[in-house]
Every structure is written in structure tokens, then in C-alpha cells.
Amino acid sequence: MDNFQKEIDERANLALSNKFELLLFRLGAAYQDEQPELFGINVFKLREIVPMTNITRAAGMKSPLLGMANIRGQLIPVIDLPAVAGCTPETGLNLLLVTEYARSTQAFAVESVEDIVRLDWNQVRAAESGVSTRNITSIACLDNQNKMAMVLDVEQILHDIIPSVREVKEGDIDAKSFRLRANAVAIVAEDSKVARQMLEQGLKAMGIPAMMYNTGLEAWVKIKQMYQEAQAEGVSIHDKIGLILTDLEMPEMDGFTLTRNIKSDPNLKNIPVVIHSSLSGSANEDHVRKVGANGYVAKFEIKQLSAVISKVLEDAEL
């Protein structure tokens, strides 16, 4: 029991050391005779792995949505992940990865599960932009450096298949004044393409100009550069940066590390930081408090995000 509890504690504390665990799985070959590629998702988003079960297809459902499955008394949608990735399973759809993303539960059908590996976020690189990487957010370099896994952009996949997850609509945000200095901007760190688009729309509706970055490291480099510029101009950093909005899971540097870097720097610590993530649960909220973030919002609730941003800006009294 002690060893079991130790393993749980170690896994929960990974997020505070720029590390995470990646579940590796295969979907089949993309082309004839090609070795099936490895794919991955963060273990924190995985609820369980179950054998393929009976699936009920409702009228009007189209691929890659397979239908609904009853898993432990809960009806959840099942998505054909090989169809999304353009792969053909050699042995069929054998397993369901039951995941939780931003208050939604769904199962992804896969061919096989390979392993769970523990990685540092600096082993992960942002995927090159292009049609073939629409559903890939980053590439993980595994221990031997010759073996790679493609990390899925689940937010993009869910947005494409279930459009109600979630566009910013007119009227979603109450008209209000967000207390930002005249020339200040929001720095946004978010690796998911669709999440960046929605955040951009939301901040625009709030009247908050934003600079968007794909990784926590890119955002951190920019923040330090802007501080140096503020020093050279003889102005406060708050005249440059009014808010930092960050995801948690990102290549190179995660949102916990980015937030800790900001809050441990005496020159930057008073900049409001809001964490915006599809990773939910009490463990992550505890980590948010430990690194000193000013607010936490689960993706993608634009009204809640608006309320939290308004409050942290008001509390900052800059």
C-alpha cells in the first residue's frame, strides 16, 4: 500500500517539475507496408482503458463518430481514432481509451496500447504546421532519441467532430471594462490551434489585445524581452504586459513551470496569471495554488474565463 501511495504522489507531483507521463498507442499503418506510427496522450487525461464493447450507432451519426457506448453506466461517444488519423488498423479496433477533456467524457477506439513513458516537456517539440499535422499538437522524442510519438491535439479533434465544443458567440461576454493599461497586452501560451483561435476570439470580444505563443518557453522568452524593453524605456512592466494566460500542457515548458518562473521573479510576480486548461480535477487545482497563479479556468467556458480575467485584473489594481 505504501508503494502504491508513493507512486500516486510521484505521478501527481510530476506537473510541478516540468514532467508528465505519455500513454503510447498505435492506430495502424497509414500506408501499405508502413510501420504503424506511435501516438500519445497525457496520462492525466486518461480515465481508463477498456476492451472494445458494444456500440450503438444513432441515426445520422457519421464517421469518425462510431456511436455511443455504455461504460460503467455512463453513455459516452466513441470516436474512431484511426479514421481521424488516416490509419488502417491491421487487427481491428480492440481498445477504448476513456478520456476526460474540459468537462467532457469520450472514448477513443485504438488498435493497441504500447507503453506509458515518463518525459520532460523539453523532450517535446511543437509540430510543424501543415495539413498532415492538423490533429497533431507536438512530437515527443522518447528515451533513445530515435523513437518518436505524435501527441494528439484532442481539442482540435473534438472541435471537428463535435462542433458544440465550443465557439465564441456574440453575447457570450457581458459588456464590461477590463482594467488593462492603455498599451498593455495579454501574453497567451497555448499549443492547441483551435484553442488559440477561440482564445483570440474571446480576448478580442473583451477588448484585450493579445500576443499568441505556441509554447510556454516561447512565452517566457517574450516576457523577459518585454521586461528588458520596459527597463530601457523607463516604464513599468505593467505598461507592457497586463495579463498572462497559459495552458498547462505545452511543448518545451509547461504552464506550471511558466507560472512558477513568473511568480518567483520579483520583477514579474505581480503580473496576473490565469491558467486555462483541459486538465481538470482537484490535484491540478492544488498545483495551480502551489505555483501562485491568480486564477484557473477549465476549457472552454468563455463566460467563466471572462469573469476570472475581470476579477484578477481588478484584484491586481495596477
Side-chain angles (χ1 to χ4, degrees), residues 181 230 234-241:
R181 293 193 183 183
V235 300
S236 167
I237 183 59
H238 304 294
D239 291 316
K240 296 279 189 180
I241 303 173

Side-chain angles (χ1 to χ4, degrees), residues 55-72:
I55 296 175
T56 302
R57 182 187 290 273
M61 277 190 177
K62 298 178 181 178
S63 178
L65 195 59
L66 292 173
M68 306 295 290
N70 187 329
I71 298 178
R72 305 189 189 284

Side-chain angles (χ1 to χ4, degrees), residues 18 30 33 67 130 146 198 213 235 243 260 290:
N18 205 43
D33 299 326
N146 295 318
M198 289 191 285
Y213 296 93
V235 300
L243 170 73
R260 187 169 55 247
K290 286 179 182 178

